[in-house]
Amino acid sequence: MDSLFRLFQGWLPLLQGWRWALSLLVGGLLMALAPVNAWPLAWVALVPLWQVVHSPQQKGRRIATSALLWGVAYHGVALSWFTKLHPITWLGIPWLGSLMIMLFGWVFLTLWGTGIAVSWTGVMVVIGRWQLRQHRAFSGGARVLVGTAVWCAVEWLWSTSPLHWTSLSFTQSPHNLLGLQLGQLSGPITVTAAVVAVNGLLAEGLPAGQRTREESAREGWRYVAGALALFIGLHALGLGLYSRALNDDPTERLAVGLVQGNIPTGEKLTAAGTRQSRQIYLEGYESLVAAGAELVITPEGAIPRTWNAFLQDRDLLQRAVVKNGVPLLLGTFAHDDIADSTSPLTQSLLLLMPDGTVFGRYNKVKLVPLGEYLPFEPIVGELVQRFSDYGGSMIPGAFTQQLKTPFGVIAAGICYDSAFAEAFRQQVARGAAAIFTASNNDPYPPMMMMQHHGQDVMRAIETNRWAVRVTNTGISGVVDPKGRAHWLSGPNEYATHVGQIYRRHTETPYVRFGDWLTPLLLTVSLVSLLRL
């Protein structure tokens, strides 16, 4: 036991010199390695940052540096796939300009995510110093409670912003299916709270202050035991939720066809590439219909041209739908008013019907800054147009929209939407019986593709819905309400598949009540602080 306890001492970031900085960098790096393949690392990776808030009397510069080191290591490495955006010379941007755009985007996203750690550390230090001025003891248990509540509040605030991806919850997806079941209770914030609390208890187990070695060991093992008990208890709860039978109704079964076209964006945007896209998706559609699909889905921007409402009867895909009698959910661009070519553009999914009409539609809610819209366009738009072919921002869809199909209402998402749990919760709360997501994912590597898959796995579990995800270059798949993948495509390959899913009409606590855990933790924390 003593040797294991001494091992925990190595985490102490309050040591002088390089060891202090190294412990924070290693902690952030371990958290960055957790998504997709190494989820257990997340349950110890936050310990060094927790140790920083144990001594709020430290200088502010050292505290801020600590949060920056941990946050940059985590978010910078987890988002390193963004560097594969370069080069985008096929957009007419010079090589050096492409490099600068990529570096700016990566650094900005990294610092934006790092703001969560910096904000959390700052709030915790302020609370700790307030407690010192009040001559109140800030016990380990109270500190863990308050710290968990504050992290959840900060992460919730970030999730309402236009940029959000690296929530601590996604470090557990897609492989820790027992832990992810907690998302049914209060959404992804439930998993985040579990990770933060276990790390906090482990951090409290480290020796501190002027206690003797024997006192430190005795007090420390009490917190370490609490961390282990919490970890095991939460996963036991997850096992209970995971073990529930799905009890899918056979009459609600739906055969969904997926086409992964695998056409690089740089090629797809050319005239020849557009013709190739139409041919590939036409062939994929017809093969899936022959295989028994009742509905076929294509990726985001499968046909990179604006949908023409006046010429739609001449469209090859629309003609194929009329001929075969099977609806097609087409990823393309469309005017906000589909019959008005002067209205703004949207990134859309259009449901083409056998009677030659567009029956249902979903417009992307969370547009990508710079890629799909220009932030502060009224101010900088005119300047940008002088140096590029920028043609104006697309507009986002409304949270209140619903994708209507002949098989009922479906919750939909396009690419970046997958990171925003609330968008899917609201659709399911309004009656959506399954989840369809369409993405591009080119030119990003398999690392990003699996992270994106992990986001959709969480959305399926949180809402207790079958999910079908279709991408251009991978990874497409079919996921059940437990988060299990029934089929996954390979990256960067052409693929078609007919997946059997089931429409469901249940409501999880998260779907019904939203994120109730964060306000509860904040309320209990406030009461705890006032009573100390």
Side-chain angles (χ1 to χ4, degrees):
M1 291 177 64
D2 286 343
S3 62
L4 183 59
F5 190 70
R6 284 195 296 273
L7 179 63
F8 278 114
Q9 287 180 297
W11 282 97
L12 283 172
L14 302 181
L15 297 175
Q16 296 298 320
W18 62 271
R19 293 184 180 180
W20 158 74
L22 182 61
S23 65
L24 287 155
L25 288 172
V26 169
L29 178 60
L30 291 180
M31 190 66 81
L33 296 176
V36 179
N37 293 318
W39 63 265
L41 297 178
W43 299 89
V44 297
L46 197 59
V47 170
L49 193 58
W50 261 110
Q51 279 289 294
V52 173
V53 303
H54 281 201
S55 301
Q57 67 273 21
Q58 294 182 85
K59 292 182 179 179
R61 181 181 300 176
R62 185 181 179 92
I63 292 170
T65 302
S66 300
L68 279 171
L69 287 172
W70 188 93
V72 167
Y74 170 41
H75 298 280
V77 175
L79 295 170
S80 60
W81 48 262
F82 190 84
T83 60
K84 298 299 182 180
L85 180 66
H86 173 71
I88 49 176
T89 51
W90 44 268
L91 280 177
I93 298 174
W95 189 92
L96 182 59
S98 170
L99 178 64
M100 297 303 295
I101 290 172
M102 178 274 292
L103 290 175
F104 171 79
W106 183 32
V107 171
F108 185 86
L109 290 173
T110 296
L111 294 178
W112 181 262
T114 299
I116 297 176
V118 172
S119 300
W120 176 77
T121 305
V123 172
M124 289 299 293
V125 168
V126 168
I127 293 174
R129 290 178 177 177
W130 176 72
Q131 292 290 92
L132 287 175
R133 288 196 298 270
Q134 300 297 317
H135 303 289
R136 294 175 175 176
F138 202 1
S139 68
R143 183 161 41 232
V144 172
L145 172 64
V146 173
T148 301
V150 171
W151 191 289
C152 289
V154 173
E155 196 169 281
W156 170 84
L157 183 63
W158 252 248
S159 74
T160 64
S161 73
L163 297 175
H164 188 56
W165 187 266
T166 42
S167 161
L168 292 190
S169 60
F170 107 121
T171 63
Q172 302 304 292
S173 191
H175 297 304
N176 183 11
L177 293 182
L178 299 188
L180 290 174
Q181 303 305 312
L182 300 176
Q184 297 181 42
L185 304 178
S186 187
I189 210 70
T190 323
V191 182
T192 290
V195 171
V196 175
V198 169
N199 275 276
L201 289 170
L202 288 176
E204 293 295 335
L206 297 174
Q210 302 300 316
R211 298 194 301 250
T212 66
R213 183 170 179 274
E214 292 76 14
E215 289 174 333
S216 294
R218 186 168 55 251
E219 185 74 6
W221 276 109
R222 184 165 65 90
Y223 284 110
V224 171
L228 292 174
L230 180 61
F231 177 84
I232 293 171
L234 290 172
H235 283 77
L237 175 58
L239 176 62
L241 295 170
Y242 183 81
S243 300
R244 292 180 178 178
L246 287 178
N247 294 323
D248 285 314
D249 184 349
T251 64
E252 298 284 357
R253 185 167 55 192
L254 178 64
V256 181
L258 301 75
V259 189
Q260 180 172 296
N262 194 38
I263 308 170
T265 304
E267 296 178 14
K268 188 168 55 175
L269 293 179
T270 66
T274 300
R275 289 194 296 270
Q276 180 189 16
S277 298
R278 291 187 187 279
Q279 189 60 36
I280 284 177
Y281 287 108
L282 176 61
E283 292 174 357
Y285 168 80
E286 291 183 333
S287 69
L288 289 168
V289 170
E294 300 172 82
L295 172 69
V296 177
I297 310 176
T298 65
E300 171 191 25
I303 307 300
R305 290 291 183 268
T306 303
W307 181 257
N308 192 319
F310 300 102
L311 301 177
Q312 67 181 44
D313 59 336
R314 301 183 189 178
D315 187 89
L316 292 178
L317 288 166
Q318 179 68 81
R319 288 184 177 183
V321 170
V322 173
K323 172 186 173 184
N324 291 281
V326 174
L328 171 67
L329 191 58
L330 178 66
T332 189
F333 303 103
H335 291 286
D336 184 40
D337 180 346
I338 204 166
D340 181 3
S341 61
T342 64
S343 62
L345 284 177
T346 61
Q347 182 80 264
S348 300
L349 292 173
L350 304 180
L351 186 62
L352 310 185
M353 294 296 291
D355 63 0
T357 63
V358 175
F359 182 80
R361 176 179 181 177
Y362 174 84
N363 299 329
K364 188 174 183 179
V365 173
K366 293 293 183 176
L367 300 177
V368 178
L370 299 181
E372 294 172 323
Y373 79 96
L374 182 66
F376 312 112
E377 183 177 4
I379 300 174
V380 302
E382 196 171 309
L383 177 65
V384 170
Q385 285 180 330
R386 295 181 184 178
F387 300 97
S388 71
D389 295 328
Y390 168 71
S393 297
M394 287 188 272
I395 62 172
F399 263 82
T400 56
Q401 65 186 312
Q402 291 181 310
L403 175 60
K404 297 179 180 179
T405 78
F407 310 100
V409 177
I410 302 295
I414 299 178
C415 196
Y416 192 34
D417 289 343
S418 294
F420 297 86
E422 181 65 16
F424 293 86
R425 186 197 75 81
Q426 289 192 24
Q427 292 184 72
V428 172
R430 291 192 296 272
I435 295 175
F436 293 164
T437 63
S439 305
N440 184 11
N441 287 356
D442 178 69
Y444 300 114
M447 173 186 180
M448 181 273 185
M449 298 174 187
M450 281 303 296
Q451 286 185 9
H452 204 163
H453 168 66
Q455 299 281 8
D456 283 338
V457 166
M458 290 194 291
R459 307 296 86 87
I461 293 172
E462 292 154 5
T463 58
N464 194 33
R465 292 294 186 268
W466 284 81
V468 176
R469 62 186 322 268
V470 188
T471 69
N472 174 25
T473 54
I475 294 171
S476 305
V478 179
V479 177
D480 72 17
K482 303 293 184 183
R484 298 171 297 201
H486 288 239
W487 174 79
L488 290 178
S489 69
N492 302 309
E493 66 179 24
Y494 174 79
T496 60
H497 178 75
V498 177
Q500 302 291 334
I501 70 169
Y502 295 83
R503 290 160 291 173
R504 297 173 64 83
H505 307 283
T506 59
E507 282 191 340
T508 63
Y510 174 57
V511 169
R512 181 170 296 183
F513 303 112
D515 174 16
W516 51 266
L517 181 61
T518 298
L520 176 62
L521 287 174
L522 288 172
T523 301
V524 175
S525 296
L526 180 60
V527 172
S528 174
L529 286 172
L530 294 177
R531 293 183 61 184
L532 286 177

